[in-house]
Every structure is written in C-alpha cells, then in structure tokens.
C-alpha cells in the first residue's frame, strides 16, 4: 500500500508544485487550488490541527490525506516541515494567470519584481500581495516564482493571487510606477488602481531599461547612510500607500 502511494506521488510530482507544510496546503485548499495528493506522518494530528486553525478545509483534507511513515515521507520531501505534511497541487495555467494580470480595468495594482534573487523574499512579497488584495505578482529573470521555497515563504498564498514570470516586454498593460531613489516622493504621488508597481533588487535597484519604460519614478524617503530597504518591506510600503489612497 505504502509503495503504491509513493509511486503514485512520484508520478504526480512531475507536473505539480510542492506544498511543504500545513499553511501552504491550507491556503491552496481555501483559495481553490487543485490539490492532487496529501501525505502526512499523522493523519489524526493533521485533521485536529485543521480543526483548530482552519475548519473550512477539514472536509477536503479528510478526503485527501494519506498517512505514511516519516522515513518514507522524508524520502519524498527531505526538508519535512514540523507539521509533518506535504502535498502536491497543479500549477495554475499560465494563460489564465496572464489573462487575470492583463485585464483592464483593474481594481488593484500588479507588483513587478525585476530579476529577484532571494527565494524567501519573493515568497514574502507574494504573501503581502495576497494580503493587500493586489491583482498579482510578476517576476522577470531566471528565478521561478513557483519554486517550493517561494511557496513556503508565501504560505501558499500563490493561490490567492496571480503569480507568473514574464519577460520585460511582456509586462501587463497599465501605468508603470518604478520605485527608485531619483523619483518623486511617494507621499506626493497617489497610485492608481491599475498601476504596475515595480521594484528592483536591494543591491542594484532597477535597470536602466525599466526606468526608461516607467511612467513615473517614485522614491521612498530614507535616512542618510541607509543603503536600502528589504524588498518585501518596500513592497509593503508601496501597497499600503496605494491602499491608503482608496479611503
């Protein structure tokens, strides 16, 4: 029975994304993700945890969760989360996500991360975007925004918004507001709902190409001698500024 479960898992894993731990799984179920398989070291404990923290997903988990020995599970997910559960879900369609990101008029901005490098930071940004109700997050460069470490950092909130990797010429339509120290003070410039809010890396900032494409450059005031804000902190300030202007 267990060998069949493991073989089935490996067959499904080829076309799926890994949800590592209870919270990514919870959010995938809550926001309509297509969860294909759920394995846990303790089925009863998993259902009890869901009953305490997320009663809305208990029924779905009850139908999906299969208990396997911890050593078997570690063979499938070496960095087993303390909650002792891993799952596989279908990655949402690129075409569907791009349609969501490009649809106008939009009721909330799209966050653009130019060539991000840190997987955890990207996960934190996606979590912020979901919390603020942003339309989605797009990344440029080589990093896969659906990497398991990014999914862990977002707590699975990829499924609550639209997340895709695009090339710079493929950015969704809408006015492009680029965060850059040379820009207009953010306190003097409201963000429209259909804006693209673009952020560069902490070390290098945004590229000259992205600046040239910008409709507006926007600066966040910073104390002299401080080199940069953390990427997720910058995104949080930008999204909060947008939200504050909607009151």
């Amino acid at each position: 029975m267990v060998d069949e479960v493991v073989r089935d898992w490996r067959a499904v894993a080829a076309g799926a994304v890994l949800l590592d731990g209870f919270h990514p799984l919870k959010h995938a179920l809550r926001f309509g993700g297509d969860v294909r398989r759920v394995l846990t070291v303790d089925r009863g404990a998993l259902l009890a945890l869901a009953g305490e923290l997320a009663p809305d997903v208990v029924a779905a988990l009850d139908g999906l969760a299969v208990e396997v020995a911890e050593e078997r599970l570690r063979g499938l997910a070496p960095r087993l989360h303390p909650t002792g559960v891993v799952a596989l879900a279908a990655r949402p369609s690129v075409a569907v996500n791009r349609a969501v990101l490009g649809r106008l008029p939009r009721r909330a901005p799209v966050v653009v991360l130019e060539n991000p490098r840190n997987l955890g930071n990207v996960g934190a940004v996606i979590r912020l975007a979901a919390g603020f109700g942003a339309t989605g997050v797009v990344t440029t460069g080589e990093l896969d925004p659906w990497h398991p470490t990014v999914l862990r950092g977002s707590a699975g909130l990829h499924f609550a918004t639209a997340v895709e990797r695009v090339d710079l010429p493929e950015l969704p339509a809408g006015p492009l507001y680029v965060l850059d120290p040379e820009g207009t003070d953010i306190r003097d410039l409201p963000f429209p709902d259909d804006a693209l809010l673009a952020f560069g890396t902490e070390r290098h900032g945004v590229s000259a190409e992205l600046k040239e494409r910008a409709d507006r450059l926007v600066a966040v005031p910073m104390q002299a001698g401080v080199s940069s804000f953390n990427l997720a902190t910058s995104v949080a300030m930008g999204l909060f500024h947008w939200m504050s202007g909607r009151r």
Side-chain angles (χ1 to χ4, degrees):
M1 169 64 176
V2 171
D3 287 339
E4 290 180 10
V5 169
V6 171
R7 284 196 296 270
D8 175 68
W9 173 275
R10 287 174 175 156
V12 173
V17 294
L18 179 68
L19 306 176
D20 181 15
F22 174 72
H23 293 295
L25 172 57
K26 169 192 72 178
H27 285 133
L29 291 170
R30 178 173 291 164
F31 290 101
D34 182 6
V35 178
R36 303 287 178 83
R37 302 291 186 274
V38 177
L39 300 182
T40 177
V41 297
D42 188 331
R43 193 174 187 280
L46 174 62
L47 293 176
L49 181 64
E52 178 184 355
L53 300 180
D56 56 309
V57 305
V58 170
L61 274 180
D62 192 27
L64 286 166
V66 175
E67 185 172 312
V68 298
E70 182 173 339
E71 63 182 32
R72 293 291 185 118
L73 203 52
R74 288 190 181 278
L76 300 174
R79 294 182 63 229
L80 185 62
H81 192 271
T83 52
V85 58
V86 293
L88 295 172
R91 181 169 175 164
S93 160
V94 173
V96 169
N97 272 343
R98 289 196 176 197
V100 171
L101 291 162
R103 188 177 302 136
L104 292 174
R106 279 193 295 267
R107 298 181 60 187
V110 172
V111 175
V112 178
L113 303 182
E114 187 185 28
N115 198 23
R117 307 297 176 85
N118 185 285
L119 296 164
N121 274 346
V122 176
V125 167
I126 292 167
R127 189 169 185 171
L128 283 165
F132 279 104
T135 295
V137 176
V138 298
T139 66
T140 69
E142 298 300 318
L143 182 147
D144 179 8
W146 285 85
H147 187 282
T149 302
V150 182
L151 275 155
R152 179 185 278 213
S154 80
L157 283 163
H158 285 62
F159 295 94
T161 188
V163 178
E164 280 301 334
R165 177 170 53 187
V166 303
D167 293 328
L168 204 54
E170 301 174 318
L171 289 179
L176 180 58
Y177 285 62
V178 173
L179 275 288
D180 184 82
E182 299 175 359
T184 301
D185 190 312
I186 191 171
R187 293 170 292 184
D188 299 326
L189 189 66
F191 292 159
D193 292 347
D194 61 351
L196 307 180
L197 304 182
F199 302 82
T201 62
E202 291 152 347
R203 177 172 294 183
H204 302 294
V206 296
S207 67
E209 182 182 359
L210 187 60
K211 282 187 187 182
E212 289 173 3
R213 295 172 60 93
D215 293 287
R216 299 297 299 264
L217 297 180
V218 186
V220 176
M222 189 183 307
Q223 286 277 38
V226 178
S227 57
S228 68
F229 291 117
N230 174 271
L231 175 60
T233 301
S234 297
V235 173
M237 287 188 286
L239 289 174
F240 182 79
H241 179 66
W242 160 73
M243 180 178 283
S244 297
R246 302 184 82 232
R247 293 186 62 182

